[in-house]
C-alpha cells in the first residue's frame, strides 16, 4: 500500500471517494442557494411578505453559523464521517419538514434547522482536505471543491425559481432530502481513521490572535460575498426580468466560480496567496461598481459573474488561510471560520432586507462596494503580516 493511501486511511478521508465528497459540496450549496431565487414566488404564494421570505434566508445563515463550533468539536472528538452522517440525516428531516408548512413561524423553524444541519457539510469537507493535502495540492483540492459547490449554486439559481414558479415551491425544498438519502447510502461503509485523534486537540490554538483575525475577515467577507448574493434574482425581477430569465442571468455567478476555479489552478503557481487575495478583491470591486451605478440586467449579470470569479480566487485563498492558522485544532478553527462567515452573511442580509423590501438594490450594491474596499485592504495586509511572522 502506498504512503498516500496510508495517510488517507489514517485521516479517515481515504474511505470516502472524491466524487462523494464533491457531491456533498454540491448538495450543501444547492440547499443554501435554492431559496433566494424563489423569494418572490414564496411571497406571492404564501402569507409571507418579501421581508419575511428574506428572513428565511437570513435565519438559515444564522443557524448555519451558530452551529459551527458544535460541529467542529464533534469532528475533532468523534471523527469526520460521524458529523457528515449526522448532518445529512438532520438535513433530510429538515428538508421534509420544509415541505409541510407554509405559515411563517413553522417554515422559519424548518429552514433554520436545515441551516444548522447543512452548516456541518462544507466545513467538514474543508477539514478533510486540510487533513490530507498540503501546499499547491491543497489549493487545487479547494478549487475542485469550489467547482462542485459552484455547480450546486448554479443549478439552484437556474432552476429553483422557475421550478417553484411552474410547479410548487415545496419541490425545491424537497429535492435535498433525496440527495441526502443517496449520500447516506454511499457513506454507509465509510469510516474514520485515527489521525485527527492521535494527539490532544489544542482548542486554545483556535483562539490565537491570528485565528481571531481570520474570523474577523470572514465576517466581513460573508456580508460582501454571500449576504448580497441573495439579491441578484430579486434585483433582476425588480428590473422586470421574468423569473426564468432572472435565474439564468444570476447563474452567471456559478459560471464565474467555475471559470475562476479553473484559472485558480494556474494562478496558485504564479502568485502568492496574499497577491491572490488582492486580485480577488479587485475583481469584486469592479463587479460592485457596475451594479452600484445602474441596476439593469446587463450590469447585474456582470456583477454576478465577477462576484463568482472573486469567490473562486479571494474566498478560496482565505479558506486556505483558515485551514493553516491553527493546525492543532484544524476542525475547530475551520468551523469557527465558517461560523464567522455565515454570521457575516446573515448580518448582511438582515441589515439590507429593508432596502430590498423598498426596491433599493442600488444602495445594497453600493454598500457592497464600500465593504469590499475595506475587505481587500484588511485581508491583504493581515495575511502579509501573518506570513512574515510565521517565517520569522
Amino acid at each position: 500500500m502506498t504512503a498516500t493511501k496510508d495517510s488517507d486511511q489514517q485521516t479517515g478521508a481515504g474511505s470516502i471517494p472524491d466524487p462523494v465528497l464533491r457531491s456533498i459540496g454540491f448538495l450543501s450549496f444547492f440547499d443554501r442557494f435554492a431559496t433566494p431565487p424563489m423569494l418572490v414566488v414564496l411571497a406571492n404564494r404564501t402569507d409571507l411578505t418579501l421581508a419575511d421570505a428574506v428572513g428565511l434566508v437570513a435565519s438559515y445563515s444564522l443557524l448555519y453559523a451558530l452551529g459551527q463550533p458544535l460541529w467542529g468539536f464533534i469532528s475533532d472528538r468523534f471523527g469526520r464521517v460521524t458529523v457528515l452522517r449526522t448532518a445529512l440525516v438532520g438535513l433530510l428531516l429538515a428538508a421534509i419538514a420544509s415541505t409541510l408548512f407554509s405559515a411563517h413561524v413553522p417554515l422559519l423553524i424548518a429552514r433554520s434547522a436545515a441551516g444548522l444541519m447543512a452548516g456541518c457539510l462544507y466545513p467538514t469537507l474543508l477539514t478533510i482536505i486540510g487533513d490530507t493535502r498540503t501546499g499547491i495540492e491543497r489549493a487545487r483540492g479547494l478549487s475542485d471543491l469550489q467547482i462542485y459547490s459552484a455547480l450546486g449554486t448554479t443549478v439552484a439559481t437556474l432552476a429553483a425559481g422557475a421550478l417553484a414558479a411552474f410547479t410548487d415551491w415545496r419541490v425545491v425544498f424537497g429535492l435535498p432530502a433525496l440527495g441526502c438519502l443517496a449520500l447516506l447510502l454511499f457513506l454507509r461503509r465509510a469510516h474514520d481513521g485515527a489521525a485527527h485523534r492521535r494527539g490532544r486537540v489544542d482548542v486554545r490554538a483556535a483562539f490565537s490572535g491570528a485565528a481571531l483575525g481570520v474570523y474577523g475577515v470572514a465576517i466581513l467577507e460573508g456580508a460582501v460575498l454571500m449576504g448580497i448574493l441573495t439579491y441578484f434574482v430579486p434585483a433582476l425581477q425588480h428590473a422586470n426580468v421574468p423569473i426564468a430569465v432572472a435565474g439564468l442571468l444570476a447563474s452567471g455567478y456559478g459560471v464565474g466560480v467555475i471559470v475562476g476555479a479553473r484559472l485558480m489552478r494556474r494562478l496558485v503557481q504564479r502568485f502568492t496567496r496574499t497577491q491572490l487575495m488582492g486580485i480577488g478583491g479587485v475583481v469584486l470591486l469592479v463587479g460592485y461598481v457596475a451594479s452600484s451605478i445602474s441596476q439593469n440586467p446587463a450590469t447585474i449579470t456582470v456583477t454576478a459573474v465577477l462576484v463568482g470569479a472573486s469567490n473562486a480566487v479571494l474566498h478560496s485563498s482565505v479558506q486556505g488561510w483558515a485551514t493553516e492558522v491553527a493546525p492543532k485544532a484544524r476542525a475547530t478553527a475551520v468551523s469557527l471560520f465558517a461560523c464567522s462567515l455565515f454570521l457575516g452573511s446573515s448580518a448582511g442580509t438582515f441589515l439590507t432586507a429593508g432596502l430590498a423590501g423598498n426596491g433599493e438594490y442600488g444602495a445594497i450594491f453600493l454598500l457592497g462596494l464600500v465593504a469590499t474596499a475595506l475587505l481587500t485592504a484588511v485581508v491583504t495586509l493581515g495575511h502579509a503580516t501573518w506570513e512574515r511572522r510565521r517565517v520569522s
Side-chain angles (χ1 to χ4, degrees):
M1 182 176 288
T2 65
T4 301
K5 289 181 179 178
D6 286 339
S7 176
D8 282 350
Q9 284 190 342
Q10 285 176 332
T11 60
S15 62
I16 307 177
D18 279 350
V20 176
L21 293 176
R22 293 165 184 166
S23 296
I24 294 173
F26 177 95
L27 173 71
S28 67
F29 273 68
F30 178 89
D31 189 72
R32 166 69 178 87
F33 290 103
T35 305
M38 60 177 188
L39 289 177
V40 176
V41 174
L42 276 171
N44 290 337
R45 296 189 181 178
T46 65
D47 293 332
L48 276 63
T49 65
L50 181 59
D52 289 337
V54 171
L56 298 180
V57 177
S59 63
Y60 182 108
S61 297
L62 180 62
L63 268 292
Y64 187 116
L66 294 178
Q68 294 304 311
L70 173 63
W71 293 125
F73 172 79
I74 295 173
S75 181
D76 273 335
R77 177 64 182 84
F78 298 104
R80 317 312 188 204
V81 174
T82 298
V83 294
L84 286 178
R85 285 194 182 118
T86 302
L88 286 169
V89 170
L91 182 57
L92 186 155
L93 296 176
I96 292 173
S98 299
T99 68
L100 301 178
F101 303 106
S102 60
H104 182 219
V105 173
L107 189 55
L108 185 69
I109 294 172
R111 297 315 298 159
S112 298
L116 176 65
M117 296 301 167
C120 166
L121 301 177
Y122 198 77
T124 303
L125 302 181
L126 295 180
T127 303
I128 289 173
I129 290 175
D131 285 343
T132 59
R133 306 179 192 187
T134 59
I136 291 177
E137 287 305 311
R138 179 179 291 168
R140 287 177 174 172
L142 292 172
S143 293
D144 288 341
L145 186 59
Q146 275 210 321
I147 289 173
Y148 280 82
S149 65
L151 285 172
T153 303
T154 303
V155 171
T157 306
L158 269 173
L163 192 59
F166 297 123
T167 59
D168 193 292
W169 54 266
R170 294 174 179 84
V171 174
V172 178
F173 285 146
L175 286 175
L178 298 177
C180 289
L181 184 60
L183 287 168
L184 284 167
L185 292 175
F186 283 119
L187 287 173
R188 67 188 185 280
R189 295 182 181 175
H191 60 85
D192 269 308
H196 61 279
R197 281 180 272 158
R198 284 181 299 184
R200 179 174 175 271
V201 176
D202 184 6
V203 177
R204 291 177 300 176
F207 295 93
S208 66
L212 293 175
V214 173
Y215 309 150
V217 165
I219 290 174
L220 185 56
E221 188 189 23
V224 171
L225 274 178
M226 305 182 75
I228 296 177
L229 181 62
T230 302
Y231 298 117
F232 287 151
V233 171
L236 286 164
Q237 289 184 269
H238 186 71
N240 298 317
V241 177
I243 187 168
V245 179
L248 178 63
L249 296 180
S251 69
Y253 167 83
V255 174
V257 174
I258 293 169
V259 173
R262 301 305 298 176
L263 183 61
M264 184 67 169
R265 293 175 66 86
R266 298 183 179 182
L267 293 177
V268 293
Q269 301 178 35
R270 301 182 181 182
F271 298 96
T272 67
R273 182 179 288 160
T274 302
Q275 291 170 332
L276 290 170
M277 291 175 178
I279 292 170
V282 171
V283 171
L284 189 60
L285 274 172
V286 174
Y288 282 135
V289 164
S291 287
S292 62
I293 293 174
S294 176
Q295 299 78 55
N296 58 60
T299 57
I300 295 172
T301 302
V302 168
T303 299
V305 173
L306 292 180
V307 170
S310 175
N311 190 302
V313 179
L314 172 61
H315 183 53
S316 66
S317 298
V318 179
Q319 281 180 337
W321 188 11
T323 65
E324 295 178 2
V325 73
K328 294 182 179 180
R330 182 174 283 119
T332 301
V334 170
S335 69
L336 289 171
F337 168 79
C339 173
S340 302
L341 185 75
F342 277 83
L343 279 175
S345 173
S346 182
T349 305
F350 271 123
L351 292 174
T352 53
L355 292 173
N358 295 327
E360 298 179 38
Y361 294 103
I364 293 174
F365 292 125
L366 181 59
L367 287 173
L369 174 63
V370 174
T372 297
L374 177 61
L375 171 65
T376 304
V378 169
V379 74
T380 52
L381 291 174
H383 186 265
T385 302
W386 177 77
E387 283 282 15
R388 284 196 301 270
R389 290 178 177 175
R390 186 174 66 157
V391 172
S392 62

